[in-house]
Amino acid sequence: MDPARPSPTAAPAPAPTTRPRALVGWRMLALFYDLWPVAALWMLLGLLFNLGYTFLGHHAQRENIPPGSLPSVLLFLSCMLVTGLYATLSWRRGGQTLGMRPWRLKLVAASGNPGWTALWLRYAVGLLSLLACGLGFWWAWLDRDGRTWHDRASGTRLVRVPKP
């Protein structure tokens, strides 16, 4: 028998283990799921801001924070910060937010665990992508690797974890 030829009874070489890409539809479903815990955090922040505004007495009776005022701008910025904390802490802790778990999506980086800079950059570019009518998400359909703007900017990617 020729040593260069594999024997017919030898086991075939295992296929390379590649994880399937996270399609845009899965990402949108995960975003929809993540909307609910984030909305709860926003409501809690809104309550705290309105209580502070009421107890400081800077308003007429039964009046909320007026739109465009400094407290409303601070509330908006606080909501964006809390949303970023929710996302980056979830990604750092286990690679998944609550919305990513049912769809078996996981955030991975080529270098192992993504650093804080990459996670915050991912959040910021993802937010800009959403503000641009989701253009950065739809970009995954055109990208040769199926990556979004925030995947590319942060050096990370979402993969679909196989069923256990």
Side-chain angles (χ1 to χ4, degrees):
M1 185 171 208
D2 185 11
R5 292 177 118 186
S7 71
T9 59
T17 56
T18 58
R19 294 180 177 171
R21 294 186 312 208
L23 302 176
V24 174
W26 298 118
R27 292 172 186 256
M28 293 298 127
L29 288 169
L31 273 175
F32 180 72
Y33 268 44
D34 279 327
L35 171 68
W36 304 111
V38 167
L41 292 171
W42 290 347
M43 284 188 255
L44 181 62
L45 271 174
L47 173 70
L48 294 174
F49 266 74
N50 276 303
L51 285 175
Y53 189 73
T54 299
F55 288 123
L56 290 176
H58 297 297
H59 61 85
Q61 188 175 9
R62 297 182 185 191
E63 183 181 307
N64 285 330
I65 298 173
S69 66
L70 179 62
S72 73
V73 171
L74 291 175
L75 175 59
F76 174 77
L77 293 175
S78 297
C79 286
M80 293 301 100
L81 179 65
V82 165
T83 305
L85 283 171
Y86 164 77
T88 57
L89 287 172
S90 297
W91 292 330
R92 182 70 177 186
R93 198 188 78 206
Q96 294 177 309
T97 60
L98 289 175
M100 293 164 69
R101 289 180 185 172
W103 308 109
R104 300 185 331 265
L105 300 177
K106 186 171 184 175
L107 182 71
V108 296
S111 62
N113 282 340
W116 288 109
T117 305
L119 295 176
W120 279 102
L121 182 62
R122 178 181 177 81
Y123 170 71
V125 174
L127 187 60
L128 290 174
S129 170
L130 283 174
L131 291 174
C133 300
L135 199 56
F137 285 89
W138 308 125
W139 181 259
W141 286 343
L142 303 174
D143 189 85
R144 70 178 181 273
D145 297 325
R147 295 173 74 185
T148 60
W149 288 351
H150 41 283
D151 288 336
R152 291 245 177 237
S154 64
T156 59
R157 74 177 322 133
L158 281 185
V159 295
R160 191 114 194 265
V161 178
K163 287 184 180 180

